[in-house]
Amino acid sequence: MTQSTELDPEDRKIITLARSARARNGVAEGAAVRDETGRTYVAGTVELASLKLSALQTAVAMAVASGAKSLEAAAVVTEAGHPADADLAAVRDLGGPGTPVLLAGPDGELRLTTGK
């Protein structure tokens, strides 16, 4: 895991989308992923009596359900200090071990990047 504040515009975009999903839905986390074609998938935390998924797991599931074959990058906006292991595993399952996961705080500021 590395700390970095330099972002390309496409990475900034998925952080902004993740932040918007978190705020719009009033959930603990917002996430967005970008697939190999540049399409984005945005999600919030899912908490039902019978189903609990983090925002990042939900975004990855949406990408898979929409036919994505790989991921270029993922972002999660959260109060947490690091991505959950299950979130990293979901991203790696679709994107591979080098897929960057950008973790940002609720203010949208990048805290760390994994996988780069």
Side-chain angles (χ1 to χ4, degrees):
M1 292 187 199
T2 62
Q3 289 186 315
S4 172
T5 55
E6 292 183 35
L7 285 176
D8 79 15
E10 292 300 312
D11 289 346
R12 175 58 56 199
K13 176 183 170 183
I14 61 173
I15 289 174
T16 299
L17 291 169
R19 186 174 182 220
S20 296
R22 181 181 184 270
R24 180 179 54 251
N25 298 322
V27 292
E29 294 180 341
V33 298
R34 185 175 62 248
D35 74 9
E36 76 283 1
T37 68
R39 291 179 297 181
T40 56
Y41 306 88
V42 182
T45 308
V46 174
E47 289 197 33
L48 301 172
S50 63
L51 178 65
K52 296 195 185 318
L53 294 172
S54 72
L56 199 47
Q57 290 170 330
T58 305
V60 170
M62 290 171 64
V64 170
S66 296
K69 303 295 183 213
S70 184
L71 295 178
E72 290 181 349
V76 62
V77 173
T78 181
E79 295 277 355
H82 54 84
D85 290 341
D87 288 350
L88 294 174
V91 170
R92 304 299 185 250
D93 283 351
L94 184 57
T99 306
V101 176
L102 312 167
L103 184 129
D107 60 359
E109 289 301 313
L110 182 65
R111 292 183 182 166
L112 62 90
T113 302
T114 67
K116 249 182 168 173

